Amino acid sequence: MKSASQPLALLSCLLLVEVGLGFPTLAHLKPQASDELQTQAVRELLRRLIGARAGDFWLSVNSSVAGKDGLDTYQLASGEGGKVLVTGSTGVAAATGLYSYLKSHCGCHISWSGMQLQLPSPLPAVREVIRVTTPNRFRYYQNVCTASYSFVWWDWDRWEKEIDWMALSGINLPLAFVGQEVIWQRVYLMLGLNKSEIDDYFTGPAFLAWGRMGNIHSWAGPLPVSWHLKQLYLQYRILGRMRSLGMIPVLPAFAGHVPGALLRVFPEMNVTKLGGWAGFDCTYSCSYVLDPEDAMFQVIGALFMKELTREFGTNHIYNADTFNEMCPSSSDPTYLSGISAAIYKSMTAVDPDAIWLLQGWIFVNSPSFWKPTQTRALLHGAPLGKIIVLDLFAETMPVYLQTDSFYGQPFIWCMLHNFGGNHGMFGSVESINRGPFDAMSFPNSTMVGTGLAPEGIEQNDMIYELMNEIGWSRKPVNLSQWISWYTVRRYGSQNAQTLAAWQLLLRSVYNCTIQWKDHNQSPLVHRPSLKMKTNVWYNRSDLFEAWQLLQNASAELSKSKTFLYDLVDVTREVVQQLVALYYLDIKQAYENQSLPDLLTSGGVLVYDLIPEMDALLSSQTQFLLGRWLEEARTVATSEQEASLYEMNARNQLTLWGPMGNILDYANKEFGGLVSDYYGMRWNLFVTSLVECLNTGKPFHQDKFNQLVFQVERGFIYNQKQYPVNPVGDTVQIVKRIFLKYYPQTKKLHKNANNN
Ligand SMILES: *[C@@H]1O[C@H](CO)[C@@H](O)[C@H](O)[C@H]1NC(C)=O
Ligand SMILES: *[C@@H]1O[C@H](CO)[C@@H](O)[C@H](O)[C@H]1NC(C)=O
Ligand SMILES: *[C@@H]1O[C@H](CO)[C@@H](O)[C@H](O)[C@H]1NC(C)=O
Ligand SMILES: *[C@@H]1O[C@H](CO)[C@@H](O)[C@H](O)[C@H]1NC(C)=O
Ligand SMILES: *[C@@H]1O[C@H](CO)[C@@H](O)[C@H](O)[C@H]1NC(C)=O
Ligand SMILES: *[C@@H]1O[C@H](CO)[C@@H](O)[C@H](O)[C@H]1NC(C)=O
Ligand SMILES: *[C@@H]1O[C@H](CO)[C@@H](O)[C@H](O)[C@H]1NC(C)=O
Ligand SMILES: *[C@@H]1O[C@H](CO)[C@@H](O)[C@H](O)[C@H]1NC(C)=O
Ligand SMILES: *[C@@H]1O[C@H](CO)[C@@H](O)[C@H](O)[C@H]1NC(C)=O
């Protein structure tokens, strides 16, 4: 990554042009609601946000304030009686302008973990009219996996908050994937499957993302009738709200996967069976992909599109991914362009204005298959300007660079950032701050926007706020200045210690400059072994010092919810590092055959550190296992459904599949989970090592794995109820942990030498 001070980088910023304007094919992707309707929607949003103070603003949507070629624009001004006037070219633009004013003039902050909305009275004046036009035609949001890792149990109240957040964050191109199984069910029934064949096919709620992409089927299903009804109702409300705010929701389309049972009805159908995905065998995996030349491809694709658009209307943009993490049966370019041509044809047969949104993850995930010839073939199966590719992990592995900007197809520069909804603190701020601008000024760039594509949300608020601002910026920000103001806004006060703490976090956990794909490989959240990874990308001392500063600031800031969240989060990150350091001690003691040392380190880890972490997490709402489980059970309409959903919820966080197929991939650090799952495993590990030293027998990982699987599986069915409300005083718990363990950070760290 080039540094911001290099003259070349500066030059590229000055030469920056608006992107995405070279594609008249995309001109029809725009809000459908009238200015009046969008005005009303954004005013209602404001009222939800600040209640009666909404009267101090005059918000409106006027599409004629848009920038050159219709780029989203907002204007801020002061009007009569001290009112703040916010005008946006769309509802999203107006909401973005509103939040921008709240940030810059009022020092406010809105995030997943909380809001800081102390408004000065009267509102500060806007001295000179401010007019901002984004250089990005689209600001995209979501990963297909977010639907399962984060949204799966959401009700309308939670969705409403998220859509508000999207609008305030400037997002205009979100996925709208809820309820698609309702449509598929109808299509399969029309094609002649019976109800039990369909029930056998769908996965359970927590695994739908991968069912939709043909990675798995059947696992943790079936979907109850009530599930379909509730999802349908939700999708109506979601789409209605997104559209009224001027967003362009993306619906799903047919990607070529068919249930095996369809071969009973159409035995002559020409399908190829893909291999098992991610350690699943064919009981739950090995999808059938329909040959693109088979007439049934168009029949099924068009049936789905017709039912979908009849039910939900359309904004003319659809997502379809055929080969997510699965290699096609043939690398013949004719076959690959045939597949994309067939997908595009089935879309346009029903909606002639269809644009296809394709995840570029395949190119990152399987570069050995997707050579230039194969990539070009797939991308050129539809006319130029008809596929938008999501360069999904562009902050770390940008694909546009290797593909001459996706061989002419438009693309969106996305920050993926998070895998599996893991909690670890992480960020590549330098790349986020530069990457989109580099991509815009790439020779013959086809970039048409920026985006967020996290697999899971509700973590690392800071990085998402930064990325959202970049989506509306024409040049990189000064990160050090940016983080200072962020800190003030987030806690609603100027505090030297929190400012210093965030500078340390910025340069350490948030400044990953290497290709780092396993963001949370902490030993804490993985099955113990003697070969665990403990390395990190940053200097641990910075984190420990930031912890000390926050701990010290806690007396002053204990009223701030966002501060308490961060205090827990940073302490959690510190404890996670301490677990790694104690693990190294345990391993060393075992290898030294020193029983006393093993008992000491193992005892601290299992009987104090892990229980303390559980107590810490249990003291803040956002870190409760009980909430995740309760949300799942609340969707149910019977005890049987509640048990099924709870199994889904527990399995996704832990075994991820019947046999630990993707073990611990979606790990979370939740109060309840830390003690009863991770803690139990570590207890067993330490006990096993002690026994080995006692008996003189070597440690066998295979034997341990069999034993520990019983613990893991046991957790899923333990039927224990976990608190849904926080317990304990966060500040006191942190102080206790600090007094005990801060001195250890220095000692242990030294022993661990260079990370
Ligand atoms: C919208 O903006 C245009 C251009 O600034 C202005 O002429 C027009 O009067 C505005 N419309 C409304 C309804 O305010
Ligand atoms: C559905 O079809 C399968 C395959 O023909 C059959 O075995 C099963 O009994 C049918 N189920 C129902 C409920 O009709
Ligand atoms: C069946 O599909 C495969 C690839 O999808 C193709 O190679 C083969 O020629 C097709 N067979 C027939 C009979 O169409
Ligand atoms: C950019 O496009 C122009 C016109 O198509 C072409 O002549 C030129 O070679 C391209 N430049 C690069 C660096 O690809
Ligand atoms: C960023 O801002 C800080 C603090 O105001 C300043 O010291 C620093 O020089 C700035 N960095 C750049 C690259 O402008
Ligand atoms: C991040 O690390 C790089 C490389 O060490 C350094 O050049 C850069 O200044 C750091 N950025 C921040 C925000 O600390
Ligand atoms: C890590 O940071 C500490 C101070 O925060 C410093 O003393 C130490 O030298 C740094 N270590 C490395 C490897 O840079
Ligand atoms: C902790 O805070 C106190 C006052 O609140 C201050 O005197 C002390 O210097 C702080 N310590 C550190 C390490 O910041
Ligand atoms: C293990 O043995 C090494 C070398 O014999 C020694 O330096 C170290 O202190 C011992 N560590 C523990 C934890 O016993």
Side-chain angles (χ1 to χ4, degrees), residues 467-491:
M467 186 63 218
N468 285 330
E469 285 188 25
I470 299 286
W472 280 73
S473 304
R474 280 161 192 275
K475 59 176 181 16
V477 302
N478 178 323
L479 287 167
S480 152
Q481 267 172 17
W482 190 89
I483 204 78
S484 292
W485 185 231
Y486 174 85
T487 308
V488 172
R489 291 191 291 111
R490 185 159 168 90
Y491 305 144

PDB file of all heavy atoms in Angstrom, residues 467-491:
ATOM      1  N   MET A 467     -15.522   3.409   6.728  1.00  0.00           N
ATOM      2  CA  MET A 467     -15.770   2.976   5.342  1.00  0.00           C
ATOM      3  C   MET A 467     -16.985   3.692   4.751  1.00  0.00           C
ATOM      4  O   MET A 467     -16.973   4.096   3.588  1.00  0.00           O
ATOM      5  CB  MET A 467     -15.944   1.457   5.308  1.00  0.00           C
ATOM      6  CG  MET A 467     -16.057   0.885   3.901  1.00  0.00           C
ATOM      7  SD  MET A 467     -14.577   1.143   2.891  1.00  0.00           S
ATOM      8  CE  MET A 467     -15.330   1.484   1.291  1.00  0.00           C
ATOM      9  N   ASN A 468     -18.019   3.873   5.540  1.00  0.00           N
ATOM     10  CA  ASN A 468     -19.202   4.580   5.038  1.00  0.00           C
ATOM     11  C   ASN A 468     -18.859   6.012   4.648  1.00  0.00           C
ATOM     12  O   ASN A 468     -19.366   6.528   3.653  1.00  0.00           O
ATOM     13  CB  ASN A 468     -20.314   4.565   6.086  1.00  0.00           C
ATOM     14  CG  ASN A 468     -20.973   3.199   6.182  1.00  0.00           C
ATOM     15  OD1 ASN A 468     -21.032   2.470   5.194  1.00  0.00           O
ATOM     16  ND2 ASN A 468     -21.444   2.840   7.358  1.00  0.00           N
ATOM     17  N   GLU A 469     -18.000   6.644   5.416  1.00  0.00           N
ATOM     18  CA  GLU A 469     -17.607   8.012   5.059  1.00  0.00           C
ATOM     19  C   GLU A 469     -16.752   8.038   3.797  1.00  0.00           C
ATOM     20  O   GLU A 469     -16.880   8.930   2.968  1.00  0.00           O
ATOM     21  CB  GLU A 469     -16.860   8.674   6.227  1.00  0.00           C
ATOM     22  CG  GLU A 469     -17.814   9.072   7.329  1.00  0.00           C
ATOM     23  CD  GLU A 469     -17.157   9.897   8.420  1.00  0.00           C
ATOM     24  OE1 GLU A 469     -16.137  10.567   8.155  1.00  0.00           O
ATOM     25  OE2 GLU A 469     -17.681   9.865   9.548  1.00  0.00           O
ATOM     26  N   ILE A 470     -15.889   7.019   3.674  1.00  0.00           N
ATOM     27  CA  ILE A 470     -15.052   6.944   2.470  1.00  0.00           C
ATOM     28  C   ILE A 470     -15.944   6.862   1.219  1.00  0.00           C
ATOM     29  O   ILE A 470     -15.618   7.417   0.176  1.00  0.00           O
ATOM     30  CB  ILE A 470     -14.106   5.713   2.545  1.00  0.00           C
ATOM     31  CG1 ILE A 470     -13.168   5.810   3.749  1.00  0.00           C
ATOM     32  CG2 ILE A 470     -13.346   5.517   1.248  1.00  0.00           C
ATOM     33  CD1 ILE A 470     -12.055   6.776   3.649  1.00  0.00           C
ATOM     34  N   GLY A 471     -17.057   6.190   1.345  1.00  0.00           N
ATOM     35  CA  GLY A 471     -17.980   6.054   0.217  1.00  0.00           C
ATOM     36  C   GLY A 471     -18.534   7.390  -0.272  1.00  0.00           C
ATOM     37  O   GLY A 471     -19.061   7.480  -1.376  1.00  0.00           O
ATOM     38  N   TRP A 472     -18.411   8.411   0.547  1.00  0.00           N
ATOM     39  CA  TRP A 472     -18.892   9.739   0.159  1.00  0.00           C
ATOM     40  C   TRP A 472     -17.751  10.741   0.027  1.00  0.00           C
ATOM     41  O   TRP A 472     -17.982  11.951  -0.022  1.00  0.00           O
ATOM     42  CB  TRP A 472     -19.915  10.255   1.182  1.00  0.00           C
ATOM     43  CG  TRP A 472     -21.275   9.666   0.969  1.00  0.00           C
ATOM     44  CD1 TRP A 472     -21.678   8.392   1.235  1.00  0.00           C
ATOM     45  CD2 TRP A 472     -22.415  10.323   0.396  1.00  0.00           C
ATOM     46  NE1 TRP A 472     -22.992   8.211   0.879  1.00  0.00           N
ATOM     47  CE2 TRP A 472     -23.475   9.391   0.367  1.00  0.00           C
ATOM     48  CE3 TRP A 472     -22.657  11.615  -0.084  1.00  0.00           C
ATOM     49  CZ2 TRP A 472     -24.738   9.695  -0.132  1.00  0.00           C
ATOM     50  CZ3 TRP A 472     -23.921  11.921  -0.568  1.00  0.00           C
ATOM     51  CH2 TRP A 472     -24.952  10.967  -0.590  1.00  0.00           C
ATOM     52  N   SER A 473     -16.513  10.238   0.038  1.00  0.00           N
ATOM     53  CA  SER A 473     -15.364  11.162   0.042  1.00  0.00           C
ATOM     54  C   SER A 473     -14.661  11.178  -1.307  1.00  0.00           C
ATOM     55  O   SER A 473     -14.731  10.219  -2.065  1.00  0.00           O
ATOM     56  CB  SER A 473     -14.340  10.733   1.092  1.00  0.00           C
ATOM     57  OG  SER A 473     -14.935  10.641   2.350  1.00  0.00           O
ATOM     58  N   ARG A 474     -13.961  12.274  -1.535  1.00  0.00           N
ATOM     59  CA  ARG A 474     -13.181  12.411  -2.759  1.00  0.00           C
ATOM     60  C   ARG A 474     -11.686  12.251  -2.508  1.00  0.00           C
ATOM     61  O   ARG A 474     -10.876  12.289  -3.427  1.00  0.00           O
ATOM     62  CB  ARG A 474     -13.456  13.766  -3.406  1.00  0.00           C
ATOM     63  CG  ARG A 474     -14.744  13.713  -4.154  1.00  0.00           C
ATOM     64  CD  ARG A 474     -15.360  15.037  -4.452  1.00  0.00           C
ATOM     65  NE  ARG A 474     -16.708  14.757  -4.920  1.00  0.00           N
ATOM     66  CZ  ARG A 474     -16.989  14.456  -6.188  1.00  0.00           C
ATOM     67  NH1 ARG A 474     -16.044  14.435  -7.102  1.00  0.00           N
ATOM     68  NH2 ARG A 474     -18.229  14.164  -6.536  1.00  0.00           N
ATOM     69  N   LYS A 475     -11.326  12.140  -1.259  1.00  0.00           N
ATOM     70  CA  LYS A 475      -9.920  11.878  -0.939  1.00  0.00           C
ATOM     71  C   LYS A 475      -9.835  11.202   0.428  1.00  0.00           C
ATOM     72  O   LYS A 475     -10.800  11.251   1.204  1.00  0.00           O
ATOM     73  CB  LYS A 475      -9.115  13.171  -0.964  1.00  0.00           C
ATOM     74  CG  LYS A 475      -9.585  14.240   0.002  1.00  0.00           C
ATOM     75  CD  LYS A 475      -8.635  15.415  -0.069  1.00  0.00           C
ATOM     76  CE  LYS A 475      -8.881  16.595   0.803  1.00  0.00           C
ATOM     77  NZ  LYS A 475      -9.750  16.539   1.932  1.00  0.00           N
ATOM     78  N   PRO A 476      -8.695  10.553   0.684  1.00  0.00           N
ATOM     79  CA  PRO A 476      -8.544   9.884   1.978  1.00  0.00           C
ATOM     80  C   PRO A 476      -8.666  10.867   3.134  1.00  0.00           C
ATOM     81  O   PRO A 476      -8.449  12.066   2.961  1.00  0.00           O
ATOM     82  CB  PRO A 476      -7.126   9.311   1.920  1.00  0.00           C
ATOM     83  CG  PRO A 476      -6.784   9.241   0.480  1.00  0.00           C
ATOM     84  CD  PRO A 476      -7.520  10.366  -0.185  1.00  0.00           C
ATOM     85  N   VAL A 477      -9.010  10.355   4.310  1.00  0.00           N
ATOM     86  CA  VAL A 477      -9.077  11.212   5.489  1.00  0.00           C
ATOM     87  C   VAL A 477      -7.737  11.156   6.234  1.00  0.00           C
ATOM     88  O   VAL A 477      -6.932  10.268   5.976  1.00  0.00           O
ATOM     89  CB  VAL A 477     -10.209  10.774   6.453  1.00  0.00           C
ATOM     90  CG1 VAL A 477     -11.539  10.784   5.757  1.00  0.00           C
ATOM     91  CG2 VAL A 477      -9.929   9.393   7.044  1.00  0.00           C
ATOM     92  N   ASN A 478      -7.518  12.100   7.115  1.00  0.00           N
ATOM     93  CA  ASN A 478      -6.377  12.030   8.021  1.00  0.00           C
ATOM     94  C   ASN A 478      -6.822  11.137   9.192  1.00  0.00           C
ATOM     95  O   ASN A 478      -7.638  11.527  10.018  1.00  0.00           O
ATOM     96  CB  ASN A 478      -6.014  13.444   8.496  1.00  0.00           C
ATOM     97  CG  ASN A 478      -4.858  13.437   9.482  1.00  0.00           C
ATOM     98  OD1 ASN A 478      -4.747  12.538  10.323  1.00  0.00           O
ATOM     99  ND2 ASN A 478      -4.006  14.447   9.395  1.00  0.00           N
ATOM    100  N   LEU A 479      -6.295   9.918   9.209  1.00  0.00           N
ATOM    101  CA  LEU A 479      -6.820   8.896  10.123  1.00  0.00           C
ATOM    102  C   LEU A 479      -6.681   9.291  11.582  1.00  0.00           C
ATOM    103  O   LEU A 479      -7.579   9.037  12.395  1.00  0.00           O
ATOM    104  CB  LEU A 479      -6.115   7.564   9.872  1.00  0.00           C
ATOM    105  CG  LEU A 479      -6.517   6.852   8.571  1.00  0.00           C
ATOM    106  CD1 LEU A 479      -5.555   5.717   8.261  1.00  0.00           C
ATOM    107  CD2 LEU A 479      -7.953   6.337   8.659  1.00  0.00           C
ATOM    108  N   SER A 480      -5.551   9.897  11.898  1.00  0.00           N
ATOM    109  CA  SER A 480      -5.318  10.241  13.287  1.00  0.00           C
ATOM    110  C   SER A 480      -6.310  11.318  13.755  1.00  0.00           C
ATOM    111  O   SER A 480      -6.880  11.231  14.852  1.00  0.00           O
ATOM    112  CB  SER A 480      -3.855  10.667  13.414  1.00  0.00           C
ATOM    113  OG  SER A 480      -3.699  11.548  14.440  1.00  0.00           O
ATOM    114  N   GLN A 481      -6.570  12.289  12.873  1.00  0.00           N
ATOM    115  CA  GLN A 481      -7.580  13.298  13.201  1.00  0.00           C
ATOM    116  C   GLN A 481      -8.969  12.668  13.256  1.00  0.00           C
ATOM    117  O   GLN A 481      -9.778  12.976  14.122  1.00  0.00           O
ATOM    118  CB  GLN A 481      -7.601  14.385  12.118  1.00  0.00           C
ATOM    119  CG  GLN A 481      -6.714  15.544  12.430  1.00  0.00           C
ATOM    120  CD  GLN A 481      -6.631  16.486  11.228  1.00  0.00           C
ATOM    121  OE1 GLN A 481      -7.443  16.451  10.308  1.00  0.00           O
ATOM    122  NE2 GLN A 481      -5.612  17.325  11.243  1.00  0.00           N
ATOM    123  N   TRP A 482      -9.210  11.818  12.319  1.00  0.00           N
ATOM    124  CA  TRP A 482     -10.533  11.201  12.209  1.00  0.00           C
ATOM    125  C   TRP A 482     -10.852  10.421  13.485  1.00  0.00           C
ATOM    126  O   TRP A 482     -11.938  10.533  14.033  1.00  0.00           O
ATOM    127  CB  TRP A 482     -10.580  10.277  10.978  1.00  0.00           C
ATOM    128  CG  TRP A 482     -11.966   9.803  10.675  1.00  0.00           C
ATOM    129  CD1 TRP A 482     -12.884  10.421   9.874  1.00  0.00           C
ATOM    130  CD2 TRP A 482     -12.608   8.625  11.203  1.00  0.00           C
ATOM    131  NE1 TRP A 482     -14.055   9.706   9.864  1.00  0.00           N
ATOM    132  CE2 TRP A 482     -13.923   8.605  10.667  1.00  0.00           C
ATOM    133  CE3 TRP A 482     -12.216   7.610  12.057  1.00  0.00           C
ATOM    134  CZ2 TRP A 482     -14.835   7.587  10.964  1.00  0.00           C
ATOM    135  CZ3 TRP A 482     -13.129   6.609  12.362  1.00  0.00           C
ATOM    136  CH2 TRP A 482     -14.422   6.593  11.820  1.00  0.00           C
ATOM    137  N   ILE A 483      -9.886   9.651  13.964  1.00  0.00           N
ATOM    138  CA  ILE A 483     -10.157   8.799  15.127  1.00  0.00           C
ATOM    139  C   ILE A 483     -10.359   9.660  16.378  1.00  0.00           C
ATOM    140  O   ILE A 483     -11.140   9.295  17.265  1.00  0.00           O
ATOM    141  CB  ILE A 483      -9.043   7.740  15.324  1.00  0.00           C
ATOM    142  CG1 ILE A 483      -9.568   6.542  16.107  1.00  0.00           C
ATOM    143  CG2 ILE A 483      -7.844   8.283  16.060  1.00  0.00           C
ATOM    144  CD1 ILE A 483     -10.384   5.600  15.315  1.00  0.00           C
ATOM    145  N   SER A 484      -9.678  10.787  16.441  1.00  0.00           N
ATOM    146  CA  SER A 484      -9.855  11.652  17.618  1.00  0.00           C
ATOM    147  C   SER A 484     -11.292  12.165  17.686  1.00  0.00           C
ATOM    148  O   SER A 484     -11.930  12.110  18.735  1.00  0.00           O
ATOM    149  CB  SER A 484      -8.903  12.850  17.558  1.00  0.00           C
ATOM    150  OG  SER A 484      -7.589  12.406  17.719  1.00  0.00           O
ATOM    151  N   TRP A 485     -11.776  12.658  16.571  1.00  0.00           N
ATOM    152  CA  TRP A 485     -13.137  13.183  16.550  1.00  0.00           C
ATOM    153  C   TRP A 485     -14.142  12.059  16.783  1.00  0.00           C
ATOM    154  O   TRP A 485     -15.143  12.214  17.469  1.00  0.00           O
ATOM    155  CB  TRP A 485     -13.383  13.937  15.237  1.00  0.00           C
ATOM    156  CG  TRP A 485     -14.720  14.620  15.140  1.00  0.00           C
ATOM    157  CD1 TRP A 485     -15.615  14.507  14.119  1.00  0.00           C
ATOM    158  CD2 TRP A 485     -15.317  15.522  16.086  1.00  0.00           C
ATOM    159  NE1 TRP A 485     -16.727  15.264  14.358  1.00  0.00           N
ATOM    160  CE2 TRP A 485     -16.578  15.909  15.571  1.00  0.00           C
ATOM    161  CE3 TRP A 485     -14.919  16.034  17.334  1.00  0.00           C
ATOM    162  CZ2 TRP A 485     -17.440  16.775  16.243  1.00  0.00           C
ATOM    163  CZ3 TRP A 485     -15.782  16.900  18.006  1.00  0.00           C
ATOM    164  CH2 TRP A 485     -17.019  17.256  17.460  1.00  0.00           C
ATOM    165  N   TYR A 486     -13.845  10.895  16.216  1.00  0.00           N
ATOM    166  CA  TYR A 486     -14.697   9.715  16.423  1.00  0.00           C
ATOM    167  C   TYR A 486     -14.823   9.422  17.920  1.00  0.00           C
ATOM    168  O   TYR A 486     -15.913   9.169  18.437  1.00  0.00           O
ATOM    169  CB  TYR A 486     -14.099   8.517  15.686  1.00  0.00           C
ATOM    170  CG  TYR A 486     -14.810   7.203  15.944  1.00  0.00           C
ATOM    171  CD1 TYR A 486     -15.931   6.844  15.199  1.00  0.00           C
ATOM    172  CD2 TYR A 486     -14.356   6.312  16.928  1.00  0.00           C
ATOM    173  CE1 TYR A 486     -16.586   5.638  15.426  1.00  0.00           C
ATOM    174  CE2 TYR A 486     -15.009   5.118  17.170  1.00  0.00           C
ATOM    175  CZ  TYR A 486     -16.118   4.782  16.419  1.00  0.00           C
ATOM    176  OH  TYR A 486     -16.768   3.587  16.654  1.00  0.00           O
ATOM    177  N   THR A 487     -13.713   9.471  18.619  1.00  0.00           N
ATOM    178  CA  THR A 487     -13.706   9.164  20.050  1.00  0.00           C
ATOM    179  C   THR A 487     -14.559  10.165  20.830  1.00  0.00           C
ATOM    180  O   THR A 487     -15.358   9.786  21.689  1.00  0.00           O
ATOM    181  CB  THR A 487     -12.255   9.185  20.583  1.00  0.00           C
ATOM    182  OG1 THR A 487     -11.453   8.351  19.750  1.00  0.00           O
ATOM    183  CG2 THR A 487     -12.168   8.699  21.998  1.00  0.00           C
ATOM    184  N   VAL A 488     -14.390  11.438  20.486  1.00  0.00           N
ATOM    185  CA  VAL A 488     -15.168  12.481  21.162  1.00  0.00           C
ATOM    186  C   VAL A 488     -16.662  12.265  20.905  1.00  0.00           C
ATOM    187  O   VAL A 488     -17.486  12.313  21.817  1.00  0.00           O
ATOM    188  CB  VAL A 488     -14.726  13.887  20.671  1.00  0.00           C
ATOM    189  CG1 VAL A 488     -15.653  14.962  21.225  1.00  0.00           C
ATOM    190  CG2 VAL A 488     -13.281  14.150  21.068  1.00  0.00           C
ATOM    191  N   ARG A 489     -16.997  12.013  19.646  1.00  0.00           N
ATOM    192  CA  ARG A 489     -18.410  11.814  19.299  1.00  0.00           C
ATOM    193  C   ARG A 489     -18.981  10.575  19.982  1.00  0.00           C
ATOM    194  O   ARG A 489     -20.086  10.573  20.505  1.00  0.00           O
ATOM    195  CB  ARG A 489     -18.552  11.635  17.779  1.00  0.00           C
ATOM    196  CG  ARG A 489     -18.272  12.874  16.977  1.00  0.00           C
ATOM    197  CD  ARG A 489     -18.692  12.677  15.533  1.00  0.00           C
ATOM    198  NE  ARG A 489     -17.891  11.742  14.773  1.00  0.00           N
ATOM    199  CZ  ARG A 489     -18.304  10.563  14.339  1.00  0.00           C
ATOM    200  NH1 ARG A 489     -19.531  10.147  14.573  1.00  0.00           N
ATOM    201  NH2 ARG A 489     -17.491   9.791  13.645  1.00  0.00           N
ATOM    202  N   ARG A 490     -18.199   9.506  19.971  1.00  0.00           N
ATOM    203  CA  ARG A 490     -18.710   8.228  20.467  1.00  0.00           C
ATOM    204  C   ARG A 490     -19.045   8.292  21.952  1.00  0.00           C
ATOM    205  O   ARG A 490     -20.018   7.712  22.395  1.00  0.00           O
ATOM    206  CB  ARG A 490     -17.690   7.127  20.180  1.00  0.00           C
ATOM    207  CG  ARG A 490     -18.161   5.729  20.537  1.00  0.00           C
ATOM    208  CD  ARG A 490     -17.346   4.694  19.772  1.00  0.00           C
ATOM    209  NE  ARG A 490     -17.547   3.332  20.281  1.00  0.00           N
ATOM    210  CZ  ARG A 490     -18.488   2.498  19.834  1.00  0.00           C
ATOM    211  NH1 ARG A 490     -19.334   2.881  18.906  1.00  0.00           N
ATOM    212  NH2 ARG A 490     -18.579   1.278  20.328  1.00  0.00           N
ATOM    213  N   TYR A 491     -18.214   9.000  22.719  1.00  0.00           N
ATOM    214  CA  TYR A 491     -18.458   9.043  24.157  1.00  0.00           C
ATOM    215  C   TYR A 491     -19.117  10.343  24.587  1.00  0.00           C
ATOM    216  O   TYR A 491     -19.442  10.524  25.765  1.00  0.00           O
ATOM    217  CB  TYR A 491     -17.148   8.849  24.928  1.00  0.00           C
ATOM    218  CG  TYR A 491     -16.402   7.589  24.552  1.00  0.00           C
ATOM    219  CD1 TYR A 491     -15.010   7.557  24.520  1.00  0.00           C
ATOM    220  CD2 TYR A 491     -17.097   6.421  24.216  1.00  0.00           C
ATOM    221  CE1 TYR A 491     -14.321   6.410  24.163  1.00  0.00           C
ATOM    222  CE2 TYR A 491     -16.412   5.273  23.846  1.00  0.00           C
ATOM    223  CZ  TYR A 491     -15.026   5.267  23.820  1.00  0.00           C
ATOM    224  OH  TYR A 491     -14.359   4.136  23.468  1.00  0.00           O
TER     225      TYR A 491
END
